[in-house]
Amino acid sequence: MSAVAFNFNTDKIILFDGAMGTMLQKLGLKAGELPEILNLTAGEKITAIHRTYLDAGADAVYTNTFGINRFKAQTAGMSVETIVKAAVQNARNACKGFQDKAVALDIGPCGKILKPAGDLEFEDAADVFAEVVRAGRDADFIILETFTDLYELKAAVLAAKENSDLPIAATMSFEADGTSFFGATIETMTATLEGLGVSALGLNCSLGPKQLEPLADRFLACSSLPVIIKPNAGLPVIKDGQTCYDVTKEEFAKTVAGFAKKGAAIVGGCCGTTPEYIALLKKELNGVSRKNCETEEKTVLCSASRLVTAGERLNIIGERINPTGKKRLQQALREKDYSYLLREAVKQQEQGADVLDVNVGLPELDEIEMLVKAVKEIQSVTDLPLQLDSSNSEALERAARIYNGKPLINSVNGKRESLESILPIVKKYGCAVLGLTLDEKGIPQTAEGRAEIAGRIIKAAEKYGIPRKNVLMDCLVMTVSAQQKQALETLKAVKLVKEKYGVKTVLGISNISFGLPARSLVNETMLSLAVKNGLDMAIYNPSEVRLEENEKAVRVILGEDKDCEQFISEYTGWTNEKTEIKTQSGGMEYFVLHGLKEEAKTDADLLLEKFSPLDVIEKHIVPALDKVGKLYEEGKLFLPQLIKAAEAAKSACDTVKNRLAAGGGEASDKKIVLATVHGDIHDIGKNIAKVILENYNYKITDLGRDVPAEEICAAVKEQGAKLAGLSALMTTTVGSMKQSIDLLRRECPDVKIMAGGAVLSETLAKQLGADFYVADALADVRAAERVFGSAD
């Protein structure tokens, strides 16, 4: 059983330990040796490492389980349970003789990419993590660390919550710009994890303390939870043939203690740090009191990479993915034509929508299956947050579970049955929820009646532990042609609810104009009046938003524009011609950019009627990928979009290659060998590089992961490859990278070598002897172009 009831909300700074891998290397961990197996074969050494950190002043130690899961355990022929239980016991043994020291069950990424970017299902990922959690329930808390994919981290959090009662802390690794490898931001991570109910959150690894300063500031500005900062000891370099880091323990301790002075509640060290670093940090923390950081209460929704804050301006929730009154969408849903939904999603984003409503409810369809599928597909082509819209609570739960980020649930109402079925879903999955001001008696005729129901919904939500900031209210727009006086009551209710309860408000504007001519004119006017009364978000067709013009007309009507001077000045000579929001609707570049696979494939067929296969690749597909690459390098696209674009390009390339094969065309002679080096089973980066390079018409030989130097060398010789790409994630496999490069230099002196992976930097890659350092998949392409020449 757990020996300590760990409390993250203590009044003192909490000090975590430093690196385990660095210490194991000092003890002679061999290249390719699994660190976690040492829990069984050298348990006393692991316990001794833990004890040195406790002696240095750490309040908690991480178990030696960072990389263990069923995939890794299978390669060792051992069970996850056996390894994890031994690891927890080793850490527990180290704590004997100390008071108030805690054991953290350390869980890192599983080493595979989740769909839609990869091939691992969300529930399969959750099951992988659950196995580790169940085996480690005798720890004092769970630490999920070094994640770069927010979606995978969500799977891990749910696995932890569903398989233990232990507190959960979570940290991700970010680049210097505050985005993770998969495009998550500090703010989207915080919004998602606060909702999911973790006890503390923050960042670890990737960079040294100085580089993490602006990132730490962002965490402290947005997190209402205790913030964890656990930097590396700088960047890795080779010194005297050994991997070491470039930040001294004195510099590390002083900078990290500075984070605590600003408000970080928990600090420690990651790669390259040792007990000496932690001891000096402990000394620097003497006399530093824990600072309570107050953050502004904001109502936010997010995808993994985009945050929308309600109330900063009017936000538009695109209404077009809702089958009510839309025959073409109804047809698409019946035919399971998700490409139509994707086009509507992309189109609404281009037209300025901030959030997308997703409703797939038709009586004859399996709404649960359809909503889950629609959410997955739409999130693969747009980074807008989604409003999950259904009257089926099971469909909402399933969709909320697999949603990447923090969605808005539409909806709950004042009926007891609705409150009891919807609010537990909102709480468990960390959503925001839209409350409808109706109950068993229907929709009240007065603003006061609707406000009363709003109050009941808010009170019920708070009883479930859902903060008021996560509750939005819809005071319900009635059809003005049938109930004309109700329009004014709705506007009064919006103002009253905001003033009385301080929550954000939403309206489905288009309901106002049913049964009337010139519907868009009525809708636009209602929208302007609602905004004047405090509306924060509108469920609306984004192509019809003309708010600025309508706002000026409303100011005339309300007497705010004295003598109509501003209006007359701006609109003399105006004609009633609405400016249409134009969107691009086709072409290879458009289809690839938005990840529309079927459309890209069809376009390739059309292009092949006019151009040769190689011209289609080099003059249409490759330029489209170049455009995607440029946006990626500018930080305007992130890894999930890059992968989806690559998949769309691949569907086009496959069409072209099939034509080439049928016509006896020649395959590419631009050959590249890729491998993850010996001892490293993480191949995410390599797999992404493969997909991207293949779309640039390079012929790839993928040797997989954990590949000995001799096999890499043999493959280069056999293929006659001019370029080899080597990947390593862990500091413990830098030696394997060096061995592989040294052997290639001796045996294949003409081959160029590119090296990448989380553990590498440009300096370290050069020290290892690589020709090119590749920080991401696009850098692989640039390196290949330097070796083989550009397609141009």
Side-chain angles (χ1 to χ4, degrees):
M1 295 295 293
S2 172
V4 179
F6 196 80
N7 179 18
F8 286 98
N9 293 307
T10 180
D11 58 0
K12 70 166 191 172
I13 304 293
I14 298 171
L15 181 58
F16 282 172
D17 63 6
M20 172 62 73
T22 299
M23 296 298 291
L24 292 176
Q25 284 182 304
K26 289 178 178 289
L27 292 177
L29 181 70
K30 298 176 183 177
E33 190 174 5
L34 298 181
E36 294 82 8
I37 299 300
L38 297 178
N39 289 304
L40 298 168
T41 61
E44 71 286 349
K45 291 184 179 180
I46 302 300
T47 296
I49 292 173
H50 289 316
R51 183 169 283 275
T52 60
Y53 280 118
L54 295 171
D55 286 335
D59 298 305
V61 290
Y62 288 17
T63 57
N64 180 32
T65 52
F66 170 77
I68 198 62
N69 54 53
R70 67 179 57 157
F71 307 123
K72 209 169 188 181
Q74 286 168 0
T75 65
M78 307 191 79
S79 74
V80 168
E81 182 177 16
T82 301
I83 296 170
V84 172
K85 283 184 175 296
V88 173
Q89 189 57 56
N90 290 335
R92 186 67 71 205
N93 290 341
C95 292
K96 291 177 180 178
F98 291 94
Q99 285 190 340
D100 299 328
K101 301 294 186 180
V103 173
L105 175 63
D106 187 11
I107 301 176
C110 70
K112 293 183 177 291
I113 305 177
L114 274 66
K115 290 183 177 180
D119 58 5
L120 185 65
E121 293 284 357
F122 180 85
E123 293 299 343
D124 291 339
D127 193 47
V128 168
F129 293 121
E131 189 174 14
V132 181
V133 170
R134 288 191 295 270
R137 281 184 290 200
D138 285 344
D140 300 309
F141 66 94
I142 296 168
I143 177 69
L144 308 171
E145 65 156 331
T146 326
F147 282 75
T148 57
D149 183 357
L150 184 59
Y151 199 36
E152 183 184 11
L153 181 52
K154 177 177 178 177
V157 171
L158 289 175
K161 292 180 74 69
E162 292 170 351
N163 290 275
S164 84
D165 295 323
L166 297 176
I168 304 163
T171 57
M172 290 184 70
S173 292
F174 293 93
E175 305 299 324
D177 64 355
T179 59
S180 76
F181 185 61
F182 282 87
T185 70
I186 288 166
E187 292 75 18
T188 60
M189 174 202 174
T190 300
T192 302
L193 295 191
E194 282 188 349
L196 287 171
V198 303
S199 298
L201 56 80
L203 72 165
N204 77 291
C205 204
S206 70
L207 298 167
K210 283 289 186 184
Q211 295 92 336
L212 290 185
E213 282 191 88
L215 280 60
D217 290 342
R218 284 171 60 180
F219 266 111
L220 294 171
C222 70
S223 175
S224 63
L225 297 174
V227 171
I228 306 167
I229 308 293
K230 214 166 181 268
N232 288 346
L235 298 173
V237 294
I238 298 293
K239 186 176 181 180
D240 299 328
Q242 299 294 319
T243 304
C244 58
Y245 286 76
D246 63 1
V247 172
T248 66
K249 57 183 181 290
E250 291 81 9
E251 181 185 351
F252 178 91
K254 185 174 182 178
T255 306
V256 176
F259 297 146
K261 293 173 184 176
K262 286 184 175 182
I266 306 155
V267 292
C270 201
C271 299
T273 60
T274 63
E276 290 76 21
Y277 280 73
I278 300 304
L280 200 54
L281 177 54
K282 175 71 173 179
K283 184 178 179 181
E284 288 283 345
L285 290 172
N286 285 338
V288 178
S289 300
R290 184 155 166 174
K291 180 180 178 182
N292 291 321
C293 295
E294 293 187 5
T295 56
E296 183 181 352
E297 289 284 298
K298 294 183 178 181
T299 298
V300 299
L301 311 174
C302 71
S303 64
S305 57
R306 183 181 294 222
L307 188 87
V308 170
T309 303
E312 292 185 342
R313 61 174 176 81
L314 176 68
N315 296 122
I316 300 299
I317 302 174
E319 67 178 5
R320 297 296 301 164
I321 306 177
N322 185 320
T324 304
K326 302 180 184 69
K327 292 183 179 180
R328 178 64 187 90
L329 178 56
Q330 292 173 10
Q331 177 188 350
L333 292 173
R334 291 188 181 102
E335 296 173 355
K336 296 188 177 181
D337 176 13
Y338 291 100
S339 63
Y340 180 81
L341 275 70
L342 302 188
R343 290 196 297 273
E344 282 293 325
V346 170
K347 183 178 179 181
Q348 289 185 98
Q349 180 169 13
E350 292 176 335
Q351 292 170 336
D354 302 292
V355 179
L356 297 180
D357 180 72
V358 182
N359 183 316
V360 295
L362 288 176
E364 67 271 30
L365 300 181
D366 182 345
E367 187 177 0
I368 298 171
E369 175 191 341
M370 293 289 288
L371 186 58
V372 168
K373 177 71 171 175
V375 168
K376 288 180 177 179
E377 291 290 329
I378 291 169
Q379 284 209 291
S380 76
V381 299
T382 176
D383 64 349
L384 294 184
L386 302 184
Q387 173 175 268
L388 309 180
D389 186 356
S390 176
S391 59
N392 184 321
S393 61
E394 187 176 353
L396 287 174
E397 176 159 19
R398 292 276 299 279
R401 184 176 180 84
I402 57 86
Y403 178 84
N404 191 2
K406 178 184 178 182
L408 175 61
I409 295 289
N410 183 1
S411 58
V412 70
N413 59 55
K415 296 178 182 179
R416 180 177 177 181
E417 179 185 2
S418 176
L419 295 168
E420 292 178 351
S421 63
I422 300 300
L423 293 181
I425 297 170
V426 175
K427 174 61 177 174
K428 178 174 181 178
Y429 297 108
C431 312
V433 64
L434 181 59
L436 306 185
T437 55
L438 61 87
D439 60 12
E440 288 83 357
K441 296 178 183 179
I443 303 173
Q445 296 296 298
T446 66
E448 291 75 14
R450 297 182 203 182
E452 189 274 331
I453 294 175
R456 280 193 274 129
I457 293 172
I458 293 166
K459 185 176 180 180
E462 290 177 336
K463 284 184 178 179
Y464 278 92
I466 301 166
R468 189 168 296 203
K469 68 180 181 180
N470 285 344
V471 182
L472 298 89
M473 278 296 155
D474 185 339
C475 295
L476 299 173
V477 172
M478 312 291 281
T479 302
V480 73
S481 60
Q483 302 180 70
Q484 193 166 8
K485 293 182 179 179
Q486 286 302 303
L488 291 177
E489 291 300 321
T490 297
L491 295 172
K492 285 169 58 179
V494 169
K495 187 174 184 179
L496 182 58
V497 166
K498 285 206 71 170
E499 290 176 348
K500 191 170 184 179
Y501 302 113
V503 296
K504 303 305 178 185
T505 55
V506 181
L507 287 177
I509 296 294
S510 300
N511 295 337
I512 192 74
S513 62
F514 282 136
L516 289 177
R519 288 192 62 191
S520 63
L521 177 60
V522 178
N523 293 343
E524 291 164 9
T525 304
M526 181 64 180
L527 178 60
S528 294
L529 289 169
V531 170
K532 293 294 293 184
N533 283 275
L535 184 68
D536 298 297
M537 306 184 86
I539 303 172
Y540 202 68
N541 184 345
S543 70
E544 295 181 355
V545 176
R546 195 164 63 179
L547 189 61
E548 184 176 354
E549 294 173 353
N550 291 337
E551 174 70 11
K552 290 170 182 174
V554 167
R555 292 185 70 246
V556 169
I557 294 169
L558 296 179
E560 296 175 0
D561 181 0
K562 187 176 180 181
D563 297 328
C564 309
E565 289 181 358
Q566 183 180 359
F567 190 85
I568 292 170
S569 173
E570 292 194 29
Y571 289 100
T572 298
W574 179 78
T575 58
N576 188 21
E577 295 180 359
K578 183 175 177 181
T579 302
E580 292 293 330
I581 299 175
K582 298 185 180 297
T583 61
Q584 185 180 349
S585 59
M588 184 61 71
E589 180 180 298
Y590 181 85
F591 298 140
V592 169
L593 179 61
H594 293 289
L596 300 173
K597 292 186 286 187
E598 290 301 318
E599 289 80 358
K601 180 180 179 181
T602 300
D603 196 53
D605 279 323
L606 294 174
L607 290 169
L608 285 169
E609 295 177 6
K610 301 177 182 179
F611 306 103
S612 71
L614 289 179
D615 276 350
V616 172
I617 291 176
E618 295 180 356
K619 296 181 180 179
H620 295 272
I621 298 174
V622 168
L625 281 168
D626 284 340
K627 174 70 172 180
V628 171
K630 185 173 186 293
L631 293 172
Y632 177 74
E633 291 169 340
E634 292 173 351
K636 297 177 181 178
L637 287 182
F638 300 102
L639 187 62
Q641 292 96 335
L642 178 65
I643 293 174
K644 292 303 293 184
E647 290 176 349
K650 184 178 185 301
S651 69
C653 281
D654 287 346
T655 299
V656 176
K657 289 174 182 177
N658 290 338
R659 181 72 62 89
L660 270 172
E666 294 184 3
S668 171
D669 62 351
K670 299 183 289 187
K671 299 177 181 179
I672 302 173
V673 170
L674 298 180
T676 299
V677 299
H678 184 50
D680 203 320
I681 66 165
H682 300 86
D683 57 1
I684 290 175
K686 173 187 65 63
N687 291 343
I688 295 168
K690 176 186 176 184
V691 171
I692 303 298
L693 287 166
E694 284 180 335
N695 284 314
Y696 277 85
N697 205 28
Y698 295 103
K699 183 178 180 182
I700 305 301
T701 298
D702 182 4
L703 300 180
R705 56 191 182 181
D706 192 16
V707 184
E710 293 78 12
E711 289 186 24
I712 298 171
C713 192
V716 168
K717 290 179 180 179
E718 181 181 343
Q719 295 295 324
K722 293 184 179 179
L723 180 62
L726 306 180
S727 176
L729 176 76
M730 303 183 297
T731 56
T732 53
T733 55
V734 171
S736 293
M737 176 81 78
K738 182 84 167 69
Q739 291 172 10
S740 298
I741 292 174
D742 288 347
L743 186 61
L744 285 170
R745 290 294 181 221
R746 292 195 302 270
E747 300 290 329
C748 308
D750 294 331
V751 73
K752 298 295 183 182
I753 302 168
M754 55 184 180
V759 71
L760 296 187
S761 63
E762 185 167 7
T763 299
L764 182 55
K766 288 181 179 179
Q767 290 180 329
L768 293 172
D771 297 290
F772 309 104
Y773 166 61
V774 286
D776 53 47
L778 266 298
D780 289 281
V781 173
R782 305 299 172 238
E785 287 174 344
R786 291 179 63 181
V787 174
F788 296 100
S790 172
D792 296 335

